Amino acid sequence: MDFELTGPQKDLVTRVRDYLATHITPELTAEIAETPEGGGPEWKAYIRQLGADGMLGVGWPTEYGGLGHGPVEQYLFFEEICRTGIPIPVVAVQTVAPAIMRVGTDAQKAHYLPGILKGEIDVAIAYTEPDAGSDLASLRTSATRDGDEWIIDGQKVFTSGAHMADYIWLAARTDPDVPKHKGISVFIIDARSPGISIQPTEIMGGLRTNTTFYDEVRVPADALVGELNEGWSYITTQLNYERLALATASPVERALEETVAWANENWRNGRRVAEEPWVRDALAAIAVDVDVLSLLNLRTASMLAEGTVPYHDASLNKVFATELHQRAFGTCLRIMGRTGGLVGGIGVSDGGRLARWFMTDVLLTFGGGANEVHRNIVAMIGLGMPKS
Ligand SMILES: Cc1cc2nc3c(=O)[nH]c(=O)nc-3n(C[C@H](O)[C@H](O)[C@H](O)COP(=O)(O)OP(=O)(O)OC[C@H]3O[C@@H](n4cnc5c(N)ncnc54)[C@H](O)[C@@H]3O)c2cc1C
């Protein structure tokens, strides 16, 4: 396997990096320091601009209005986005849209894909329930057919982004009389439908997730995605795409670069911080891990490009990446001491992003599936070990 990027791939990285450097304004950066998950006017204008300039569809096929690049280019693009620390509607662009392309009806493709591509439609994922997290197939939210409509009843927890989303991608039980994995369907429903209520849950780092309630929510028959009772396979495929999006190396690379620069410029106990042996060891270890993660991600993106669904490979990357984020940001914070821990202070540039990253990225270790569960997937599917 050749991991060297091709000339056009290198050009793409440069083009995206230059584009982002000119479009991320100090006003946007200041707004994101206050509202890290986006949603403000500067952020909305930025996302629409990315959409208008075709940047959200780097990896989308041309038939859906994308630039027609493959998964490797999509991955390279997303690394550049993550390096900036400014969020994009990643769930809609990189996980829901590909699922609609694969299993959506023509009407769903025509309705959702152009809006997602332009940055005008955002989607939240509603899988998890109070008693269905790791054991997602136990979900109890129901969808019952009534004439030309489905009636949805139940409760979801951790529906991140639901308060900003236009639509909710929701898993519901449509057949209670078959084994639990076989009676689940996926719906895409208007987030403002009567009967939906959304309650905030504040989480570390200034972010928010939501509990969402569905009280006899009537949605049209064509809200069903793909085939009835085939939802489990759509969910697992969507989660595989999501796992890749959770595993980026660029935030760690940026924290590393900026911590190295800081350690070179700052003095402690009569010498430059960069001369302290433990600091050198710790930063070198992070540099090794960043390279390993980049190669793991390129390998997984290459598998996707070849048409292979990366089951345990996506899990392996997710575990390695999310634990590296915690380890690396924590190490950089320790090196910087009090300075690094200031949210809104210096730290890594842009208003203390390092401390924020440290606090927010802990959720990646259990969001998208707890790392212990992913380790089981690696053991069972990757290593051929028995189910525990
Ligand atoms: C901030 C945040 C945002 C989220 N966003 C979304 C979202 O947008 N949409 C959505 O649908 N969900 C979302 N989630 C839910 C997330 O995917 C679940 O939290 C995750 O799947 C774990 O489920 P749980 O919290 O019910 O934990 P549980 O399943 O109760 O697990 C609790 C503990 O038991 C361990 N455990 C459970 N089962 C096993 C097993 N088989 N083997 C080994 N260990 C096990 C886990 O590792 C974990 O530490 C979010 C969660 C958080 C915290």
Side-chain angles (χ1 to χ4, degrees):
M1 199 174 283
D2 181 4
F3 281 108
E4 182 65 21
L5 299 184
T6 63
Q9 286 170 341
K10 287 179 188 162
D11 290 346
L12 175 74
V13 170
T14 309
R15 213 167 65 238
V16 172
R17 202 172 279 192
D18 292 348
Y19 176 95
L20 295 173
T22 52
H23 285 80
I24 294 179
T25 60
E27 292 77 19
L28 172 59
T29 303
E31 185 182 281
I32 288 296
E34 293 300 317
T35 50
E37 63 193 351
E42 294 289 337
W43 180 80
K44 281 188 182 153
Y46 165 71
I47 296 300
R48 300 264 158 108
Q49 193 62 52
L50 280 176
D53 294 336
M55 300 299 266
L56 295 178
V58 168
W60 285 32
T62 48
E63 65 175 300
Y64 299 120
L67 299 186
H69 292 299
V72 174
E73 289 78 8
Q74 176 76 31
Y75 163 70
L76 294 171
F77 163 78
F78 194 55
E79 282 286 17
E80 292 310 311
I81 289 284
C82 289
R83 185 186 303 278
T84 68
I86 312 282
I88 64 166
V90 61
V91 164
V93 170
Q94 289 199 190
T95 73
V96 168
I100 291 176
M101 287 175 206
R102 270 197 319 282
V103 298
T105 60
D106 287 344
Q108 286 167 343
K109 289 175 187 170
H111 178 68
Y112 295 108
L113 297 180
I116 293 175
L117 190 63
K118 285 190 209 140
E120 292 169 358
I121 289 183
D122 200 0
V123 187
I125 301 282
Y127 294 155
T128 309
E129 299 184 0
D131 292 318
S134 302
D135 183 17
L136 186 58
S138 295
L139 62 86
R140 289 208 295 247
T141 293
S142 65
T144 316
R145 188 70 186 246
D146 182 30
D148 284 344
E149 294 178 321
W150 290 96
I151 305 174
I152 297 176
D153 276 295
Q155 179 190 341
K156 299 283 180 180
V157 287
F158 303 130
T159 319
S160 304
H163 57 297
M164 304 194 299
D166 306 287
Y167 292 92
I168 297 179
W169 179 268
L170 174 136
R173 187 156 302 285
T174 38
D175 188 344
D177 300 323
V178 292
K180 59 184 185 178
H181 292 84
K182 298 198 169 154
I184 295 171
S185 301
V186 168
F187 296 83
I188 184 161
I189 65 177
D190 190 329
R192 307 286 164 256
S193 305
I196 296 182
S197 50
I198 300 174
Q199 281 181 6
T201 308
E202 305 298 333
I203 52 176
M204 284 198 303
L207 298 184
R208 162 185 174 170
T209 182
N210 303 284
T211 300
T212 49
F213 300 90
Y214 306 83
D215 183 12
E216 292 193 24
V217 178
R218 288 184 169 269
V219 300
D222 61 10
L224 175 72
V225 177
E227 300 288 321
L228 185 63
N229 295 328
E230 288 296 322
W232 188 250
S233 73
Y234 306 155
I235 291 169
T236 50
T237 308
Q238 184 270 333
L239 284 175
N240 273 317
Y241 281 93
E242 183 180 291
R243 272 157 206 157
L244 272 187
L246 295 176
T248 52
S250 58
V252 179
E253 196 174 37
R254 177 169 162 192
L256 176 67
E257 286 162 6
E258 298 196 15
T259 306
V260 168
W262 185 91
N264 276 323
E265 285 161 13
N266 285 275
W267 291 65
R268 198 157 47 201
N269 301 328
R271 62 180 173 181
R272 282 191 308 165
V273 176
E275 291 170 36
E276 295 177 26
W278 80 273
V279 170
R280 302 162 73 88
D281 281 357
L283 292 178
I286 295 171
V288 171
D289 285 347
V290 168
D291 271 5
V292 170
L293 178 57
S294 300
L295 292 174
L296 286 173
N297 284 340
L298 278 171
R299 186 184 65 165
T300 312
S302 302
M303 290 171 70
L304 280 172
E306 288 163 5
T308 310
V309 178
Y311 289 111
H312 61 280
D313 305 85
S315 293
L316 190 149
N317 290 18
K318 194 263 184 188
V319 170
F320 186 79
T322 55
E323 293 178 3
L324 172 60
H325 280 218
Q326 282 305 290
R327 198 163 63 244
F329 298 144
T331 301
C332 293
L333 282 174
R334 264 205 326 282
I335 290 171
M336 289 189 183
R338 278 180 300 178
T339 315
L342 292 175
V343 172
I346 43 177
V348 167
S349 57
D350 298 346
R353 188 165 305 287
L354 178 55
R356 239 186 246 290
W357 268 338
F358 182 61
M359 286 189 279
T360 56
D361 282 13
V362 71
L363 76 87
L364 301 181
T365 61
F366 43 89
N371 279 3
E372 291 79 2
V373 174
H374 286 290
R375 283 193 165 86
N376 273 338
I377 294 172
V378 173
M380 280 192 317
I381 303 178
L383 303 178
M385 296 167 81
K387 195 170 192 293
S388 59

